[in-house]
Amino acid sequence: MVIAFIVLSCKNETKDNGKLKVVTTTTMITDLVKNIGGDVIEVNGLMGAGVDPHLYKASEGDVSKLHGADIIFYNGLHLEGKLVEVFEKMERQNKTQVPLAESLDENTLIGSEYFASNYDPHVWFDIQYFKQFAEKVTSVLSETDPLNAETFQRNNQMYIEKLEALEMEIKAAIATLPKEKRILVTAHDAFNYFGKAYDFEVVGLQGLSTATEAGVQDVQRLSEFIIDKEVKAIFVESSVPRRTIEALQAAVLSKGAAVTIGGSLYSDALGNEGTEEGTYIGMFKYNVNTILNSLR
Ligand SMILES: [Zn+2]
């Protein structure tokens, strides 16, 4: 009994280390905030690898993490559709909440009737927008924790340089694939910003949110498109069940044509923590390599 008591009180002491407590939602945002904040802040990401943010519901543990946070960074534009209510409740507590995608210029966003926000929320697939996320995170952290502002700004500068190098590298790689082969067919419409920024025609089977299932008609229509355009490969996503894309492949095969499954792309979540694909930059390179190798 006594031992348990000591353990508990020790735990509490180490927890309150005076560092700014930041809670993030998706793995992309968690990686970004860790890059900017370094070890002078404490970052708690709610979602892990392979987790679908459209369907994610807050657990009791999440709610207490959110209550204890100084700042909450999330994507917004209704990406985290089932967390909206929780965030609204938090608003009444005067907590700093930052929906990063909602700080972008909405005139440049892709419209969508499927989201309550009226915009496609998958903005992180345009590296220019992710750079703006980095700037926003840096300014919010600096305002809240001015003693560490210099650290945040230095980290941001280094990270922005890496993002710029990433964009140059992937643009050069994509330029080697002939334009007529740049057709990206995936399980759900997560890649519209990627297509717009890096010159791919993008078609998703399931619509913009995984919350709506693909119908038989969608599968038939898309299988004809694949045959017509001679698309070589289609892609599954790490955070969406494989069966939707397998049904599409089966429909193409049943018409006497062929299409392969080109591999699994990271769409709404990064890979496992501690791996290359567990970072935004590693994920982006992995996706582009997978797409180019399969469509070439
Ligand atoms: Zn999505």
Side-chain angles (χ1 to χ4, degrees):
M1 200 60 194
V2 174
I3 293 167
F5 211 85
I6 292 167
V7 170
L8 265 178
S9 66
C10 283
K11 217 176 159 193
N12 276 339
E13 266 169 39
T14 51
K15 253 205 129 191
D16 207 10
N17 48 16
K19 289 183 182 178
L20 200 64
K21 286 186 186 59
V22 180
V23 170
T24 51
T25 57
T26 68
T27 46
M28 291 72 76
I29 294 172
T30 305
D31 180 46
L32 170 67
V33 175
K34 282 184 176 169
N35 269 286
I36 310 287
D39 52 13
V40 299
I41 64 169
E42 191 181 302
V43 185
N44 241 315
L46 298 186
M47 300 176 194
V51 170
D52 181 346
H54 299 290
L55 305 178
Y56 188 84
K57 288 188 189 130
S59 68
E60 261 176 58
D62 291 344
V63 174
S64 76
K65 278 181 202 159
L66 289 163
H67 274 290
D70 299 307
I71 308 173
I72 303 165
F73 287 113
Y74 63 105
N75 189 83
L77 296 180
H78 276 247
L79 176 79
E80 302 96 335
K82 312 240 185 254
L83 294 184
V84 172
E85 243 177 72
V86 182
F87 290 144
E88 275 168 5
K89 272 185 204 149
M90 298 276 156
E91 235 160 58
R92 279 172 237 142
Q93 302 174 10
N94 265 337
K95 210 172 270 300
T96 307
Q97 291 194 57
V98 188
L100 290 164
E102 291 171 24
S103 65
L104 303 170
D105 175 4
E106 59 182 37
N107 293 315
T108 67
L109 299 180
I110 298 172
S112 164
E113 58 194 275
Y114 297 105
F115 284 87
S117 65
N118 292 320
Y119 295 105
D120 179 341
H122 304 88
V123 293
W124 61 91
F125 277 119
D126 180 336
I127 296 167
Q128 291 302 322
Y129 285 139
F130 206 65
K131 275 165 63 182
Q132 292 182 48
F133 276 24
E135 299 289 0
K136 181 74 182 175
V137 167
T138 305
S139 78
V140 173
L141 289 180
S142 303
E143 268 166 42
T144 320
D145 185 2
L147 285 178
N148 286 310
E150 231 171 89
T151 305
F152 301 138
Q153 270 139 28
R154 196 170 48 238
N155 289 346
N156 180 47
Q157 212 165 12
M158 286 194 301
Y159 194 57
I160 293 274
E161 277 167 24
K162 285 186 192 166
L163 292 176
E164 281 168 356
L166 170 72
E167 191 166 47
M168 271 174 47
E169 186 186 325
I170 64 130
K171 275 185 170 170
I174 290 167
T176 64
L177 184 72
K179 197 165 162 37
E180 69 275 9
K181 290 192 173 181
R182 290 188 214 150
I183 300 174
L184 183 59
V185 180
T186 60
H188 92 296
D189 260 346
F191 294 93
N192 290 319
Y193 289 97
F194 175 83
K196 193 177 167 204
Y198 309 111
D199 207 11
F200 271 83
E201 183 177 353
V202 172
V203 191
L205 178 59
Q206 226 176 328
L208 281 171
S209 170
T210 52
T212 49
E213 288 261 340
V216 179
Q217 271 194 329
D218 300 319
V219 173
Q220 287 310 320
R221 212 178 304 129
L222 193 46
S223 68
E224 273 151 33
F225 172 86
I226 288 167
I227 295 166
D228 191 42
K229 300 267 185 168
E230 297 176 17
V231 176
K232 267 180 74 181
I234 55 182
F235 299 90
V236 293
E237 293 169 38
S238 65
S239 53
V240 182
R242 292 180 72 88
R243 60 188 148 76
T244 53
I245 279 297
E246 284 170 348
L248 180 59
Q249 185 188 33
V252 173
L253 297 180
S254 76
K255 294 186 169 79
V259 71
T260 61
I261 293 182
S264 179
L265 302 179
Y266 296 102
S267 53
D268 293 4
L270 301 177
N272 289 322
E273 219 184 318
T275 66
E276 269 286 292
E277 296 81 36
T279 69
Y280 174 84
I281 290 175
M283 170 280 286
F284 223 106
K285 287 184 186 172
Y286 177 89
N287 275 359
V288 170
N289 282 334
T290 305
I291 292 166
L292 294 180
N293 289 337
S294 309
L295 295 182
R296 211 177 290 282

